[in-house]
Each structure stands twice: as structure tokens, then as C-alpha cells.
Amino acid sequence: MDPQTVFCHNSACPARGQVGKGNISVHSQKDRRYICHVCGKTFSASKGTAFYRLRTARDVVVIVVTLLAHECPIQAIVAAFGLDERTVVSWQERAGKHCEKVHQHLVERPRDLGQVQADEIRVKKQGGIIWMAMALQVSTRLWLGGVLSAHRDTDLITALIQKVRACTLCRMLLFCVDGCQTYVQAIRSVFREPIRIGKPGRPRLRPWDGICIAQVVKQYARKRVVAVKRRVVQGTTAQINTLLQRTQGGGQINTAFIERLNATFRSRIAALVRRGRALARQTTTLYHAMYLVGSVYNFCTCHRSLRLPIYLPGNRRRWVRRTPAMAAGITQHIWTVKELLFFQVPLPPWTPPKRRGRPSEAVKSLIAQWYT
Ligand SMILES: [Zn+2]
């Protein structure tokens, strides 16, 4: 137990989320608890991880979650480990929720995306179908998030585009999508900024500069692609060619990268396999499975096309393997599933309470020490 690497989890504590400030010490080695000397509260070493208040040995949980993230059927885990089916499902839910938090903290940060591809998958569910829409940054193969809905409508697409917006800086950005017209409307309505002029009422909204939209429309005959049409909806051909050169080294407008990602998700979530017998019962189960698989893909899976060569003397070459998160500059190493589940998302820093008048001496000293 190392008190220098943990932080206080009490949301009312002025020292919450701050690491290495000397306010934490070990409260009990036996129970694995720390104490914060600012608020006086104790907390478990597993607080904020996927293992909080779990009784089962962690190694077993890590193995089960790793299997779940790589398309192992729940029934197989039940038979092999002698666990209850509900226990396995609850671990998947717990891991999915944890991965969603990690994703929001590490991936949903503004960055220069260059090119984004988006697509939807049709998933069979008990008593109906469900749509899963996902987006990907092409240059790093980073999964930017996904949304689920019972209908393939404006709400689904808008929610996805809002996820993309949470990950982007106001720079040149190319969207490559399928022929669905909803994308164009959703991108235009989400990528706008209000112009505030100090007058009452709703401010006018100005569209972002440098947003390009391209569509790839496939024509089918007897379930086979017979023709592919590429359409530029917004932006100039020169801008699009520059972005294609920067993000995929030239080539044509395509949706191949997101289709490859869809194939990865289809192979890793049993309910997504085409013509399979596994059905998702609950939308929430599928949602947690999606975040678990997506985060394991981003942080733990090496991508062959992302590897970098190192040239050694004597004309020899070595390859450095990279995950999408490494290519995006989020981390420097390949994570294990255990590391992902143990990652503690820091709390936002404390802000002093807003009160009228001059702050008291006690509040002043707290602000001097903890408010940064
Ligand atoms: Zn505290």
C-alpha cells in the first residue's frame, strides 16, 4: 500500500482527487484502508476501481472479465468457474460502467481528429432489434464511443455526433459516413457555436469552419455490392484530399476503417454475431458490453497497422507495437485488462463554496492550501 499514489474520494473534502500531497496515510494494513487527514474519512484501497466491495479473488474477476471482452459465452464461464450466471453478468456490468468512466476521462478530451468515420450496426435483441452507432478516429484507430437506440433516427445519430464533438478541437475535420442523410443534418446542427453579443434572447449559432462531410453510398443487388458512389456534401475536394493525405496517407473517401471496427465488435460480443443464436436480453447489458469491449480495444489491443519501425545498425529493423490509445498519445504503454480495471478516475478538483462577503480565515487557509 502506497499512500503517495492514492487520493481522497470524499466529494466534500477540499483535498479530493489530489495525489502526493501528504494528506493520506495507511489506516489499516489488514483491511487495506487509507485515511485522509483533511476530512478524517477512511476509504478502501479498491475505492474507484472495478473491484470496489467485491469479495471474489481479483485474479478470478480479471480472468472472467478478460474472457467476456473476447467473446467468451457466459455459459462457458459458468461451466468452467462454477459461478452463478447472475454473478458473471453483474461483473460485466461493473466492468462496463468502470470502462465508461475511464473512457470519459481519458478519451473524451479535445484533440485534433483529422478524419472520423461513423456507422451503425443492426443488433438482434430479444423481442426486437436495436441499433448501435459508433465512431472512430482514422489516423489512430481510436474508438470514440458508441450509442444505442431502438430506432435508427435523428436522436441516435445526434447523440453519436455529440460524442465526437466532445473529443474534438475546433480544427479541420472530415466525416466519412454512409448514405444516411440524418448524418448531414446532425453534424450541421451539433457543430455550431453561439455568437454572444450581450443581448437578451437565444444567440445566433455559427457553424464551425473546416467541417467536411463525405458520403460513401453502396448499391446492392442480391446482397452484393455492385457499385460504390462517393459524394462530397460539404467542403472542397482540395480540403478533403489534404485531410485524407494526413490521416490515411492518401487514397479515396471510404468507410473501410469503421467497417473493420464493426467487425471487431461483432467478433467480440456474442449478441452481435450475424446469424448467431445469442441474443441480447437487455439494452443495458449490451451497453456495458460495448464499453468493456471498446475500452479493451483502445487500451489493451495492439493494432498491426499502428506499429512503428525502429531501424537498427546493420540494416535490421524492429517493430514497436502500439494500441490506439498509444497512437493517440493518451498513454505510453500497452495496458493489461487488470490495469484498466484498476485505473482510478480522479475526482474533479475542489472549488471553494460560493458565499457573499469576505471568506473566513478557515476558508482562506483551505483555499491557499487546496484550491489550484
Ligand atoms: Zn479527504
Side-chain angles (χ1 to χ4, degrees), residues 36-49:
C36 168
H37 295 298
V38 176
C39 61
K41 300 268 183 202
T42 69
F43 57 93
S44 158
S46 63
K47 177 93 180 163
T49 72

Side-chain angles (χ1 to χ4, degrees), residues 88 101 137 153-154 180 190 261 323 331:
V88 181
K101 276 193 218 153
Q137 181 190 9
D153 55 7
T154 316
C180 183
V190 170
L261 182 77
T323 60
T331 173

Side-chain angles (χ1 to χ4, degrees), residues 46 49-70 72 77-78 80-84 86-99 292 296 336-342:
S46 63
T49 72
F51 300 96
Y52 185 52
R53 289 187 169 165
L54 265 189
R55 290 181 192 191
T56 318
R58 284 160 190 197
D59 292 342
V60 176
V61 181
V62 171
I63 292 168
V64 167
V65 171
T66 310
L67 289 170
L68 286 172
H70 293 83
C72 184
I77 295 170
V78 169
F81 291 87
L83 296 160
D84 192 287
R86 287 164 295 186
T87 312
V88 181
V89 173
S90 78
W91 290 353
Q92 186 177 31
E93 183 186 329
R94 186 183 265 271
K97 280 183 185 165
H98 179 77
C99 288
L292 173 62
V296 168
T336 57
V337 176
K338 188 174 184 178
E339 230 175 323
L340 177 66
L341 297 179
F342 264 109

Side-chain angles (χ1 to χ4, degrees), residues 1 6 31-34 43-47 49 58 344:
M1 291 177 80
V6 288
D31 298 330
R32 298 188 63 78
R33 289 187 81 79
Y34 292 103
F43 57 93
S44 158
S46 63
K47 177 93 180 163
T49 72
R58 284 160 190 197
Q344 292 181 321

